[in-house]
């Protein structure tokens, strides 16, 4: 199981990113634990200054916008 965190304030782009990640993980048959992190201090703790950010197993893999489906597929 992969642990995935969506970093952001809960804006539309953050919600879209969470939905896309869930969708692609399900299509790939990968079990995930999805967490939304909205605390600014926690987000900055990952070194993310532009949201949404995506963290997989404690490694930042994306920041600053909604990732493409192709990008997300590469993570799985």
């Amino acid at each position: 199981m992969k642990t995935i965190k969506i970093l952001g304030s809960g804006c539309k782009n953050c919600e879209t990113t969470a939905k896309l990640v869930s969708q692609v993980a399900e299509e790939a048959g990968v079990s995930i634990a999805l967490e939304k992190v909205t605390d600014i201090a926690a987000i900055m703790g990952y070194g993310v200054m532009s949201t949404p950010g995506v963290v997989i197993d404690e490694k930042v893999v994306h920041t600053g916008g909604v990732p493409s489906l192709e990008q997300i597929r590469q993570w799985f």
Side-chain angles (χ1 to χ4, degrees), residues 54-76:
V54 180
V55 176
I56 299 178
D57 295 331
E58 294 303 311
K59 180 182 177 197
V60 176
V61 296
H62 180 81
T63 64
V66 177
S68 70
L69 285 173
E70 188 54 42
Q71 283 178 297
I72 297 170
R73 285 185 185 108
Q74 289 177 6
W75 301 337
F76 297 107

Side-chain angles (χ1 to χ4, degrees), residues 4-20:
I4 299 179
K5 296 178 182 177
I6 306 299
L7 311 178
S9 63
C11 66
K12 185 174 192 240
N13 284 345
C14 299
E15 293 298 323
T16 300
T17 299
K19 287 177 187 173
L20 290 174

